[in-house]
Amino acid sequence: FSNMLDKYLRETDADHIAAVFDASGHSFRNELFDQYKANRREMPDDLAPQCEHVRHAADGFGVCQIEMDNFEADDLIATYARHAVEAGAKVTILSSDKDLMQLVHDGTVAMRHPMTDRPIGEAEVREKFGVGPERVVDVQAPYGDSIDNIPGDKGIGEGPAGQLIREFGSLDELLEAVANPTLTKGQA
């Protein structure tokens, strides 16, 4: 973490930088779905103390730290990114989290993979999901998310889900076509 942060701080011309953390293992999503992340094991004993070291490192580099009870870091990153873009800023998110790829918008919000330093723009999102960032959620919905214990439809993976969304245009149109099989594509 320290090496990545040091490298990024030396190479960036960003006006503002923040490290965003989960405040706890519980968020409002647990209230919506009690099995949310229920499949995850507890953090290993040797890893837990490192979280505090990461926070101390961020302090040492003078990096603002953000966390909020009942929200995940992803929620905060999305909110801060939206507000920054609305204020006219360009945002770079250092993360490999596929859920954040829905935020990518060439010219305003980009991502960089923190380990490989690989940029993640709209082209990379299309490569991964088969659709643009604006349809990432539509693709994720049919197959769920095993990491977060979100069930999907059995037998639908990321590739087929992307193909379905490309074919029907959106999740709403796909669901309408499934509910009304007599409709033709374009009527949904």
Side-chain angles (χ1 to χ4, degrees):
F1 176 82
S2 294
N3 288 336
M4 285 186 293
L5 189 55
D6 179 56
K7 179 183 185 305
Y8 190 72
L9 289 171
R10 282 186 284 111
E11 294 176 357
T12 188
D13 63 351
D15 295 326
H16 305 283
I17 296 175
V20 184
F21 299 104
D22 291 331
S24 69
H26 186 85
S27 77
F28 69 91
R29 286 179 182 81
N30 298 97
E31 305 304 319
L32 297 172
F33 179 53
D34 67 347
Q35 293 301 302
Y36 181 65
K37 294 187 177 181
N39 60 336
R40 290 201 184 172
R41 290 179 273 148
E42 291 293 319
M43 186 181 300
D45 291 339
D46 60 338
L47 183 59
Q50 294 180 40
C51 293
E52 193 61 30
H53 293 302
V54 166
R55 292 172 192 273
H56 287 307
D59 276 339
F61 282 103
V63 172
C64 172
Q65 296 177 57
I66 300 170
E67 64 182 286
M68 182 180 278
D69 286 336
N70 211 30
F71 292 92
E72 294 183 9
D74 293 6
D75 303 315
L76 301 173
I77 291 167
T79 301
Y80 277 94
R82 181 175 51 87
H83 285 290
V85 167
E86 288 171 357
K90 291 183 180 180
V91 175
T92 301
I93 300 168
L94 259 56
S95 178
S96 59
D97 188 336
K98 68 181 177 7
D99 294 339
L100 292 172
M101 291 183 182
Q102 65 187 290
L103 303 175
V104 170
H105 189 274
D106 282 351
T108 57
V109 179
M111 288 179 65
R112 285 195 97 60
H113 192 292
M115 301 300 274
T116 65
D117 201 33
R118 179 179 155 244
I120 301 169
E122 288 188 23
E124 290 76 17
V125 174
R126 285 184 189 285
E127 181 182 313
K128 173 153 184 61
F129 290 101
V131 297
E134 71 283 356
R135 292 288 178 230
V136 167
V137 173
D138 288 352
V139 170
Q140 288 179 313
Y143 72 87
D145 188 340
S146 60
I147 293 170
D148 291 339
N149 202 38
I150 305 294
D153 287 332
K154 290 187 186 326
I156 296 182
E158 192 172 288
Q163 183 177 346
L164 287 168
I165 298 305
R166 282 192 309 278
E167 183 177 336
F168 289 92
S170 72
L171 180 61
D172 288 338
E173 290 171 302
L174 171 61
L175 293 173
E176 181 68 24
V178 169
N180 299 297
T182 58
L183 293 178
T184 61
K185 192 176 112 181
Q187 288 182 316

